Amino acid sequence: MRSRLVAGVLATGAAAGIVANVVITSRITASRGVPLSVTEWVYLVVALLLPALGWLLATRRPELRYGWLLLVCALFVGLGLTGAGLSIVGGAPVWLVSPLFAISAVFYGLNWIFLPLLFPEGRLPSRRWRAFAWISGIAIAMHTAGLLLSGSAAREPMRVTESTLTLFAVLSGAVGQFTTWIMAAIGFCGLVLRWRRSARVERRQYAWMVGGVAVSLLGGVAQLAYTSLPMLSLLGMVATVGALPVAIGVTVVRHRLFDIGIGIRGSRLHLIFDMRPTVDEVLSDLGTALEETPEPAEQLGKVAAAVRTALEARWAAVTLADGTRVVAGREEGQATLTVPVPGGLGRIECGPRGVGMLTRVDRRLLEALAVPAGLAIQSAGLVTRLVNAQEAERRRIERNIHDGVQQQLVALIAGLELARSTGASPDMLAHLREQARQTLADLRELAAGIHPSVLSQGGLVEAVEERCSRLPVRTTVTSDPGLPTRRFADEVEGAMYFTVNEAVANALKHASAATIEVRLSHEAGRLRAMVADDGKGFDPGGTARRGLATLSDRLKALGGGLDLDSSPGKGTRVNAWVPVDG
C-alpha cells in the first residue's frame, strides 16, 4: 500500500510537470484557435509514457528496482520541463526557475547513463562498473551545480566575470556536461557489448534497449544542433524523452520483460503481470505430482522439476544430507540461489534463469518449496530405512531357520531313517518324539516373531497380554473399556504389537527392570501404547534406540510416531501412537 502511494505521488508530479511545460509553451507560441498542435500532442503522449511505465512497474512489481528508477527519472524530467517552461514565460522568480531548470541535467544523466547501465533488473552488470557509476554520478552533480550557480537556468547570458563563484560554476557545468556525454558514450558501448554477448532470448530485449539509447542520444544532439529550428528541436526532445520508455514498453509486450506479457481475455487484450505461477499454484501442482509418484527418488525429481519450472531456471537440484543429488535440467556452472531444507535434511539449488536474474520473489518461492521438499526427503529416507529394516529382518529369519529349525529337522529325519533301518527302541522313539515337539515349539516361536497367531485371532490387547504373561518380571497390562473387542487394520495392530514387544524386550535386556507397565488406549482418533519400566534408564541423546528406530519409521509410515522419555536412574517411558478411524 505504501509503495503504491509513493509511486502515485512520483508519477503525478512527473506528469504534472510535463503537462505544465506543454501548456506553457503552447500559450506562448500558439497563433491559432486550437489548444495544442499535432506535434505537441505527440510530444505530450510520448513524454507521459515514462511516468506511466514507471508507475505501472512500481505498483505491480514493487520489488523491481527498475520501475522506481523510471519513476525518479520521470520526476526529474517533469520538474526540468516545468523549469524550462517558466524560464520561457519570464517573470517567475529566479530562485524557483533555476533549481527546476538545473534538475534537467539529472534527467539527462539518468536517461543516457543509468537507465541503460542498470537495465533490466536495476543492478550493475558487474562490480567493474562501480567506478563508472561513481564517475557518472559526480559528473551529473557537477553539471547540475553548474547550471544552478551560473544563472543559466533563467536563460541569462553567461558572462565570465571576476566572480570566483561564477567562474567555478561555469567550469563545473562545462566539465560535468562534457563528462556526462563521454560516460553516456562509454555506457552505450557497454550496452552494445552486453547485447552481443547475451543469450538468444536476452539479446532480443537488449536489442530494443540499444536502439532506444541510440535514438535518445541522437535526439540530444538534435536539440543542441538545431536550437534555431523549433520543429527539429522539438522532435529531438521527443526522441530524447520518449525513446527509452518506448523501447522498454515494446520489450515488455513482445519479450516478457519483468515477467509481464499480453493475454487475451474474450475479445480484448490485457496485460498479465508475473506470468510465472504463484506459490499456491506451484504447491498445489507439486502436491498432486507427489501423490501420483510413490517412488522416493522420483518424488525428489518432481521437486527439482517444479523448482526449475517455477523459477524458469536452467537447472535445479535437490541435494540430501548424505550427498544424494537429483537434478532437473542440464547442470552448468555454479548455483545462483541455494535454500536449506528445514531440519537439516538437505538443500535446494537452482542455476541462473533463462532470462534475467533471480529476485527476492524467487527466493521466497524457493523457501516455500523447501517445505514439500523436506517432506519428500523425509519420505525418501523413511522408505529407505524401512526397506533396509525389512531386508535385515528377512536375513535374520533366514539365519534362524537355517541355523535352528532346519538343522533340527535334518537331525530328526536322520534319526527316523536310523530308527527305520535298525528298529526303533522305546527310548529312541521317545527321544525322536521329544525332538519333534521341540522342533514344533521352535517353529511356533519363530512364527510368533514374524506375526503371532494370537494377534490375528484375538486382536491387539489379547496378543499384548499373552506376550507379557510370559515375562519373568512383574508386568501389568491395562486398556480402555471396550478396546479388547476392537479390531484395527492388520498393519496398525502389527506395528503397535511389535513396538510393545521391542519396548518390553529392551526393558528386560538393557534396563534390568523389576516392573513393567503397559497401557493401551484409544482416544481422539489415535491408538496409543505406553510402556514404562523402573530400570536404570539411559540418555536418549547419546545412545542408539536400537530396534525402536526401525519401529519408529514403521509408525511414521502409518502417519503416527514414537516418543522416548528416559534419563539415567529414572527408568524409561515409550509412547507410541497411530491414527485410526472411529
Side-chain angles (χ1 to χ4, degrees), residues 382 386 489-496 551-561 577-580:
L382 178 60
L386 286 175
D490 290 343
E491 59 271 17
V492 171
E493 290 186 341
M496 297 299 284
L551 293 171
S552 176
D553 289 338
R554 187 171 179 177
L555 293 171
K556 288 180 180 178
L558 297 173
W577 62 272
V578 289
V580 292

Side-chain angles (χ1 to χ4, degrees), residues 4 22 62 87 126 137 144 189 227 251 256 315 347 416 420 550:
R4 291 192 175 188
V22 174
S87 66
S126 66
T144 305
C189 293
T227 54
T251 308
R256 288 184 53 189
W315 61 268
R347 63 183 183 275
L416 291 173
R420 185 178 66 84
T550 302

Side-chain angles (χ1 to χ4, degrees), residues 26-27 29-38 40-41:
S26 65
R27 288 182 59 187
T29 59
S31 57
R32 58 208 182 292
V34 293
L36 298 176
S37 66
V38 175
E40 290 169 336
W41 273 112

Side-chain angles (χ1 to χ4, degrees), residues 121 201-202 205 255-256 259 312 314 353-357:
E121 281 87 15
V201 178
E202 293 177 331
Q205 298 179 355
H255 304 297
R256 288 184 53 189
D259 293 313
E312 297 183 348
R314 298 175 185 174
R353 290 188 61 191
V355 179
M357 299 178 65

